Amino acid sequence: MLTFLPLEEIEALQAAMVAPGYVPNTAQRRLAEEVTRFVHGEEGLAQAIKATEALKPGAATQLDAATLETVAGDAPSATLPRASVEGITLADILVAVKLQPSKSAARKLIKGGGVYLNNAKVSEELYIVKPSDLIESRLLLLAAGKKNKMLVRVSD
């Protein structure tokens, strides 16, 4: 009802959902693509796909400020002064942006492999954020677990 997909394609997606080997969310992804294409056009769809890929923890997609700013409206974000980011432990930053309730919880999550900085897994509990970690000297993408992401803007 939300797309102009032919009924045959919808029926095929529906049949695939109960077939062995079905990849979860395939139909949902297809519907999302169609709605995005309808609302934002081909260029908007391409931008949305790039942003979705970029936000996956561990994704090989090269992060850039333009892509991150595109999704910033939909993703949680925070702004921190440069002095509160550069030379500061990642655990402190996770607490500052409220991705973790305490430094000990943040260190535990880092140690367990559940924290990503710009899509790269961080396993060093006392990791210090360096200026080179900033995307275009002004952004960080943090992920605590699979679903909790935060775009951190760094202000001067």
Side-chain angles (χ1 to χ4, degrees):
M1 296 203 145
L2 296 174
T3 73
F4 294 109
L5 286 175
L7 284 176
E8 298 79 29
E9 186 173 346
I10 293 170
E11 289 166 359
L13 285 168
Q14 203 170 13
M17 290 174 68
V18 295
Y22 174 73
V23 177
N25 299 328
T26 300
Q28 178 184 1
R29 195 171 301 112
R30 181 73 175 104
L31 175 61
E33 286 175 4
E34 284 303 308
V35 171
T36 303
R37 181 181 288 117
F38 179 73
V39 173
H40 300 287
E42 288 295 331
E43 187 177 316
L45 174 60
Q47 196 172 34
I49 289 171
K50 183 178 179 185
T52 300
E53 287 302 312
L55 289 175
K56 283 186 193 173
T61 305
Q62 182 65 35
L63 294 174
D64 60 82
T67 300
L68 291 176
E69 290 291 358
T70 298
V71 297
D74 298 329
S77 65
T79 302
L80 293 175
R82 192 168 299 278
S84 296
V85 175
E86 293 178 354
I88 305 299
T89 66
L90 185 55
D92 285 330
I93 295 170
L94 289 169
V95 173
V97 298
K98 298 184 178 17
L99 273 176
Q100 288 297 291
S102 67
K103 290 180 193 178
S104 62
R107 286 193 300 269
K108 183 177 178 181
L109 189 62
I110 292 168
K111 188 175 182 178
V115 174
Y116 290 79
L117 172 62
N118 301 332
N119 287 342
K121 187 183 286 192
V122 176
S123 54
E124 185 182 330
E125 277 184 75
L126 298 175
Y127 184 84
I128 304 281
V129 175
K130 303 177 286 301
S132 60
D133 289 323
L134 299 178
I135 298 167
E136 296 181 21
S137 299
R138 61 188 177 99
L139 297 172
L140 290 175
L141 179 62
L142 301 177
K146 289 184 178 184
K147 305 263 182 201
N148 299 316
K149 294 175 181 48
M150 177 77 63
L151 179 65
V152 180
R153 291 183 177 89
V154 179
S155 62
D156 287 320

